[in-house]
Amino acid sequence: MAGAIASRMSFSSLKRKQPKTFTVRIVTMDAEMEFNCEVKKQILDEKIYCPPEASVLLASYAVQAKYGDYDPTVHKRGFLAQEELLPKRVINLYQMTPEMWEERITAWYAEHRGRARDEAEMEYLKIAQDLEMYGVNYFAIRNKKGTELLLGVDALGLHIYDPENRLTPKISFPWNEIRNISYSDKEFTIKPLDKKIDVFKFNSSKLRVNKLILQLCIGNHDLFMRRRKADSLEVQQMKAQAREEKARKQMERQRLAREKQMREEAERTRDELERRLLQLKEEATMANEALMRSEETADLLAEKAQITEEEAKLLAQKAAEAEQEMQRIKATAIRTEEEKRLMEQKVLEAEVLALKMAEESERRAKEADQLKQDLQEAREAERRAKQKLLEIATKPTYPPMNPIPAPLPPDIPSFNLIGDSLSFDFKDTDMKRLSMEIEKEKVEYMEKSKHLQEQLNELKTEIEALKLKERETALDILHNENSDRGGSSKHNTIKKPQAQGRRPICI
């Protein structure tokens, strides 16, 4: 009897038994990591349907959380070969090799540079929470006509699905439009706030399933209401502390990033100075070698000019001696005709020899002049080489510049959606402030979502040509149909306003 009474207790009556205050649960890093691993496992095991383009983006954030910032010298081709990052359904759906998948994941992974591990995990969850099957608990039910259906319970409300389509609900009941939920034996009743809308009833298979459904409804509705309450002073203080801690961590990360950048710039400046110093040393060495070669050439030319001058003097002396010999022969030519003929012949030969010697002497003299000119040019080249060496030795060096660190920008505050009170009674000013905060968060979220959607569409366009249509699953087909219709999902179904007096869809 007591069990039957408890089973008929309404949604609101059970809520009244809850205490007026609650303790804020602080999630540790280990618990958060375990939760993220569980979400990742459900996506990889295909318990949560994930489109191919979103799975690649999620994989890139998972790699960022595990490996940190992308470094091409460390993260070389094949470093993700042993990682399980994509559902098998996505891999089999496209004619792409593991190297091609790794290339696309790495391209997105490189864009996440600068994100800490907790930030990458938070981005992973932000994307995962928008998946149609994320956070939904499914239960097999039957309506009054005996039709088999699925009941989905999540943070937004209750959803009724066709067993063949777990992505798009046939009808949804948001938590803020439900008056109470109760069950008697195996019959479950959902009463909307609008009394003009009919009550929805369904049956489950077992009594303990009813209890589990009711507990999930109470828990999700409780969290739904807490997120919409004004924060208590204690929660506001905790949020302020969380924002300060996040700002401190952000400042620390920025300081480390700035120090790393300054260190890299100093190393680049040092390398540039070392390279410049080495270049100057090479130029000085080449100038010294050129100077030594010029000095050797000048010495050789001077020696050759001296030898040529001595040879010219010797030829001039021989020419003078030949002239004397010619005069002597002429003096003795009167002795006899034979002697005269011989003398004439000798004179002729002497004249030819003297002419040749004169030409040779003139040629040697020209060579001596040319060698003197070459010697002057060599000495001029030596003078220029010495001047260039002096200029190289007196060039100034460039000391490294220390950039002045820029002031740190203020950090964006974090948001904590845990409330304190469970009552609907709060002031209009709190309601207006809360509405403004929710609207501001909504605008920021929509801007991020727009950029994210553009990225996903770009990736989807890239890999669409490699898709194998015959390998598409039923969920893939349903997801594509929803996208073609403009993204029909449980989120859009809940946002549609209920017309006054309109009855829910008959199921």
Side-chain angles (χ1 to χ4, degrees):
M1 184 65 181
I5 294 174
S7 65
R8 292 186 178 90
M9 295 179 70
S10 68
F11 194 32
S12 56
S13 63
L14 281 175
K15 186 174 68 177
R16 285 196 297 270
K17 292 187 176 182
Q18 301 294 330
K20 291 293 183 181
T21 59
F22 64 94
T23 303
V24 177
R25 182 172 63 90
I26 300 176
V27 180
T28 64
M29 185 63 72
D30 293 338
E32 185 177 355
M33 187 187 309
E34 182 179 354
F35 176 72
N36 291 345
C37 291
E38 180 63 24
V39 173
K40 179 181 177 183
K41 185 176 184 302
Q42 289 182 359
I43 293 176
L44 294 178
D45 293 343
E46 301 182 26
K47 294 180 180 179
I48 298 177
Y49 175 80
C50 182
E53 59 275 11
S55 63
V56 175
L57 182 57
L58 290 175
S60 66
Y61 279 114
V63 175
Q64 176 71 20
K66 182 174 182 179
Y67 292 96
D69 288 343
Y70 173 71
D71 187 352
T73 60
V74 177
H75 306 121
K76 298 181 180 180
R77 182 184 296 272
F79 79 105
L80 298 178
Q82 304 300 323
E83 298 287 342
E84 185 181 4
L85 299 172
L86 299 174
K88 293 181 180 179
R89 171 185 56 81
V90 174
I91 297 175
N92 296 331
L93 189 58
Y94 295 88
Q95 290 180 324
M96 295 175 63
T97 62
E99 291 77 14
M100 296 171 68
W101 285 117
E102 179 179 329
E103 181 181 354
R104 279 163 173 78
I105 293 174
T106 305
W108 283 38
Y109 165 43
E111 294 184 4
H112 304 328
R113 183 178 182 84
R115 292 185 182 272
R117 177 179 181 178
D118 55 344
E119 292 178 343
E121 291 178 347
M122 186 59 65
E123 292 297 328
Y124 187 100
L125 288 179
K126 286 180 180 178
I127 298 171
Q129 73 180 1
D130 288 333
L131 300 177
E132 287 88 344
M133 296 176 63
Y134 177 84
V136 182
N137 295 286
Y138 296 93
F139 300 93
I141 61 172
R142 292 177 182 271
N143 62 4
K144 293 184 293 184
K145 298 179 181 180
T147 305
E148 292 185 357
L149 301 170
L150 287 178
L151 172 68
V153 183
D154 67 358
L156 301 177
L158 298 177
H159 315 280
I160 309 300
Y161 296 87
D162 189 289
E164 302 299 329
N165 184 0
R166 297 192 176 196
L167 296 181
T168 309
K170 302 179 71 174
I171 185 172
S172 295
F173 299 94
W175 293 122
N176 58 352
E177 296 182 8
I178 298 175
R179 183 170 59 188
N180 61 39
I181 300 175
S182 61
Y183 72 89
S184 175
D185 293 333
K186 295 182 180 180
E187 186 179 66
F188 222 97
T189 303
I190 301 176
K191 294 182 180 180
L193 281 175
D194 191 352
K195 296 182 179 180
K196 296 180 180 181
I197 301 177
D198 291 341
V199 174
F200 182 78
K201 295 183 179 181
F202 60 86
N203 296 326
S204 62
S205 58
K206 298 180 181 179
L207 181 61
R208 64 181 184 86
V209 175
N210 283 345
K211 294 181 179 180
L212 178 58
I213 293 174
L214 188 61
Q215 290 175 358
L216 282 174
C217 291
I218 294 172
N220 280 283
H221 183 269
D222 186 29
L223 292 175
F224 179 84
M225 298 307 298
R226 288 180 184 180
R227 290 196 299 269
R228 282 152 179 79
K229 300 296 181 183
D231 295 334
S232 64
L233 181 60
E234 180 183 1
V235 174
Q236 291 177 5
Q237 291 175 352
M238 294 179 67
K239 284 186 177 181
Q241 292 176 359
R243 286 194 296 268
E244 291 176 359
E245 180 66 17
K246 186 176 180 180
R248 187 188 63 79
K249 290 182 179 180
Q250 183 68 16
M251 292 175 63
E252 182 68 18
R253 283 196 294 267
Q254 291 179 351
R255 184 183 64 80
L256 293 175
R258 188 169 60 253
E259 290 178 355
K260 182 179 179 181
Q261 182 180 3
M262 293 173 63
R263 184 168 61 252
E264 291 175 353
E265 291 179 354
E267 291 176 355
R268 285 196 297 270
T269 305
R270 183 196 62 193
D271 295 339
E272 178 64 22
L273 290 176
E274 290 178 353
R275 186 187 64 78
R276 181 60 181 165
L277 179 60
L278 182 61
Q279 182 179 358
L280 291 175
K281 287 182 178 179
E282 291 177 355
E283 292 179 358
T285 303
M286 293 174 63
N288 283 329
E289 292 176 355
L291 178 61
M292 292 177 63
R293 287 196 299 269
S294 299
E295 291 177 351
E296 292 175 357
T297 304
D299 293 340
L300 290 174
L301 291 175
E303 184 178 354
K304 190 173 181 179
Q306 184 179 0
I307 293 173
T308 304
E309 187 176 358
E310 290 176 357
E311 288 179 352
K313 289 180 180 180
L314 182 60
L315 288 174
Q317 183 180 358
K318 287 183 178 181
E321 291 177 355
E323 182 69 23
Q324 292 176 1
E325 182 67 19
M326 185 181 64
Q327 293 296 331
R328 188 182 61 78
I329 291 173
K330 284 181 179 181
T332 58
I334 58 176
R335 292 180 182 178
T336 58
E337 289 294 328
E338 185 64 24
E339 290 179 350
K340 183 179 179 180
R341 186 181 60 81
L342 293 174
M343 288 299 295
E344 288 176 355
Q345 184 178 2
K346 288 183 179 180
V347 168
L348 183 60
E349 291 176 354
E351 288 178 351
V352 172
L353 180 62
L355 182 60
K356 289 182 179 180
M357 287 184 177
E359 292 176 352
E360 183 68 18
S361 176
E362 184 179 356
R363 187 179 64 81
R364 294 285 183 172
K366 289 182 179 179
E367 289 183 359
D369 294 338
Q370 183 65 33
L371 289 174
K372 288 180 179 179
Q373 184 177 356
D374 293 342
L375 178 60
Q376 291 179 357
E377 292 178 355
R379 288 176 177 173
E380 182 65 22
E382 178 182 355
R383 184 185 63 78
R384 289 196 301 268
K386 287 181 178 180
Q387 184 177 359
K388 183 176 181 181
L389 180 62
L390 182 60
E391 291 176 355
I392 294 174
T394 57
K395 282 186 180 179
T397 59
Y398 302 95
M401 300 178 64
N402 295 323
I404 301 176
L408 297 176
D411 192 33
I412 302 174
S414 61
F415 298 100
N416 190 343
L417 298 180
I418 301 178
D420 179 22
S421 175
L422 301 179
S423 175
F424 278 106
D425 299 329
F426 48 85
K427 297 180 180 179
D428 293 340
T429 55
D430 294 336
M431 187 63 180
K432 291 180 181 178
R433 182 177 59 81
L434 182 60
S435 299
M436 292 177 63
E437 291 181 0
I438 293 175
E439 188 65 24
K440 181 180 179 182
E441 294 177 8
K442 182 179 179 182
V443 171
E444 293 176 354
Y445 177 75
M446 290 300 293
E447 290 178 354
K448 293 181 180 178
S449 298
K450 182 179 179 181
H451 177 66
L452 176 62
Q453 193 61 38
E454 291 176 355
Q455 289 181 306
L456 294 176
N457 291 335
E458 181 181 353
L459 177 61
K460 184 177 181 180
T461 304
E462 290 178 2
I463 63 178
E464 187 67 23
L466 302 174
K467 181 184 290 186
L468 299 173
K469 295 289 185 179
E470 64 275 9
R471 294 186 182 179
E472 286 187 332
T473 63
L475 291 177
D476 289 323
I477 296 173
L478 289 171
H479 176 75
N480 293 335
E481 291 177 353
N482 290 341
S483 299
D484 295 338
R485 288 197 300 265
S488 176
S489 65
K490 65 182 180 184
H491 305 281
N492 295 333
T493 305
I494 284 181
K495 292 177 183 178
K496 292 179 182 178
Q498 301 243 350
Q500 194 65 250
R502 183 177 62 84
R503 297 181 181 275
I505 300 172
C506 295
I507 300 174

